Structures are given as structure tokens and as C-alpha cells.
Amino acid sequence: QVQLVQSGAEVKKPGASVKVSCKASGYTFTSHDINWVRQAAGQGLEWMGRMNPNGGNTHYAKKFQGRVSMTSNSSITTAYMELSSLRSEDTAVYYCARGLFIILDGDWFDPWGQGTLVTVSS
Amino acid sequence: DIQMTQSPSSLSASVGDRVTITCRASQSISTYLNWYQHKAGKAPQLLIYAASSLQSGVPSRFSGSGSGTDFTLTISSLQPEDFATYYCQQSFSDSWTFGQGTKVEIK
């Protein structure tokens, strides 16, 4: 079955960087975008950006441009999201999600990874 | 960016109730609108895509409707496993956005 398995929880100091991985299985990795979405405690879902593993094209939400980098290694069907210059407000659960697309229907996310808690604290 | 506004932010309902959640876009998004269910500690699950298409495996008590700027998610008969937070998400523009969520609680 299609599955996304993320790396474990991280604790980082303000100003540091974090890199979260997302291992895909059960489908052709290069055929679908990988999206990243986060949820801070008590807040809603926030889309961060997407990456096409077939060529590496990315599109980042304006809020994260300059601080986020989304990459992949197709040989091990794994996507990565690196967020730099961390601050306390970046404490959140980070999810990866496969993008699905049908012309004239749009794009959606299915399935999602289990989430990775990133805590930023001095 | 396109703003998505859900209402209500939360609601209390009983098992068996019909529940309707509304999502409004700040500009027309055709039917590029999806709905997700999110339970605490779990990964979000896709319920509805393209405004009204039911994702495979999702119970038929869930339905979606709307186009342009106004959309609804309806649960025809609320079940115990449906207590969760529901989010709409648009994919009309290049940068995708979610609504703020609607928490469905037990009455």
C-alpha cells in the first residue's frame, strides 16, 4: 500500500536548522509531488510548499521562502524538508503528503506521513 | 494568497445529527476545493476532492458541494468516529491554503 514514513522527533536550539525525511513506498516515487504541511500546537494546518521528485522543481509558500529547502533522493525514494534559522514559533508537527492531480479537478494530498514533532527551545 | 474561511470554528453535535460545515474562498476557485479530517495525534485523511468527489474508502455519509467561492461539507448522520477537526484546502492558485479548521465535538 502507499505509505509515507517520516523521521523521528527533533529538538533544536533557536537559530539552528532541522532536516526532516519522508520515505515513500508503494508507488512510483517520481510520479507525484511531495508536499509539506505543518501544524503548531493549537493551530490549524499550514501548507509550506511542494517538490517534484522528477527534476526537483519546487514551489514554496511566501512565508517560508528563503528559509526552507525541499529536496529528494529518488534512489531511496525519500524526500527531505530542511528549515533553517529556527525560532520558537517553528515548534510544530511537520507532515509530508503525496500530491495527486487530475486536470480540471485540481490537486490534493493523499496519503500523509505520520508527522514529525520539531521542538525549538533554548 | 487566497484566504479560506470556515464556519463555524467549532460545533457540538450528537451521534446521528446532520452536520454542515461551510468554507468560503476570498475569490472564485471553481471546484478546486478539498476536505480533510484530522484527529489528534494522527495524520490528516482526505475525505472529498474536487469539491464533491468522495475519496475511495470514505463512508458515504460524507458529501461535499459548492463551486466558485462557497462550499459545504455535510455529514448526514454523525458517528462516534467522526468527532475530529475538519479542514478545507484550495488548489486553485499556485500557493495552496487551508481553512482554519472546524472542530466537531460531542454534545
Side-chain angles (χ1 to χ4, degrees):
Chain A
Q1 76 282 22
V2 177
Q3 198 172 7
L4 300 175
V5 178
Q6 298 182 223
S7 48
E10 303 262 13
V11 179
K12 296 291 182 182
K13 293 199 183 305
S17 296
V18 68
K19 191 170 186 176
V20 179
S21 69
C22 173
K23 166 76 174 172
S25 60
Y27 71 98
T28 302
F29 180 67
T30 51
S31 294
H32 298 274
D33 288 357
I34 292 289
N35 291 265
W36 291 89
V37 175
R38 77 178 187 180
Q39 183 181 38
Q43 304 295 310
L45 299 175
E46 182 175 34
W47 180 76
M48 299 178 67
R50 62 182 176 269
M51 189 272 310
N52 185 335
N54 184 17
N57 282 353
T58 56
H59 183 87
Y60 303 138
K62 283 196 198 83
K63 176 176 178 176
F64 300 101
Q65 284 176 6
R67 259 200 332 138
V68 72
S69 176
M70 296 176 188
T71 58
S72 67
N73 183 334
S74 297
S75 67
I76 55 171
T77 64
T78 299
Y80 303 93
M81 186 282 299
E82 184 168 22
L83 189 63
S84 62
S85 303
L86 289 169
R87 32 205 188 236
S88 57
E89 310 89 88
D90 294 318
T91 294
V93 176
Y94 290 76
Y95 295 98
C96 61
R98 183 181 68 162
L100 293 170
F101 167 75
I102 296 179
I103 293 175
L104 299 182
D105 278 349
D107 301 77
W108 50 90
F109 311 138
D110 183 67
W112 298 55
Q114 84 276 18
T116 296
L117 175 62
V118 174
T119 302
V120 183
S121 173
S122 54
Chain B
D1 285 358
I2 297 175
Q3 305 296 323
M4 306 301 293
T5 304
Q6 290 182 230
S7 61
S9 295
S10 65
L11 64 90
S12 295
S14 301
V15 172
D17 283 353
R18 182 182 183 88
V19 169
T20 299
I21 298 168
T22 297
C23 177
R24 175 163 286 175
S26 60
Q27 66 179 74
S28 177
I29 58 170
S30 183
T31 55
Y32 288 53
L33 189 283
N34 310 307
W35 290 97
Y36 301 87
Q37 178 192 68
H38 192 199
K39 297 180 181 178
K42 302 241 173 141
Q45 301 282 327
L46 175 69
L47 297 175
I48 303 283
Y49 62 92
S52 60
S53 295
L54 189 68
Q55 170 68 351
S56 175
V58 173
S60 59
R61 63 180 179 273
F62 290 93
S63 64
S65 65
S67 65
T69 60
D70 294 315
F71 302 86
T72 58
L73 173 70
T74 300
I75 309 172
S76 60
S77 177
L78 197 65
Q79 298 301 301
E81 60 268 30
D82 301 336
F83 292 97
T85 302
Y86 294 84
Y87 293 91
C88 61
Q89 173 249 328
Q90 65 81 18
S91 66
F92 180 81
S93 64
D94 273 350
S95 286
W96 301 334
T97 45
F98 289 91
Q100 82 278 15
T102 296
K103 187 172 184 178
V104 176
E105 298 175 301
I106 302 173
K107 195 171 197 177

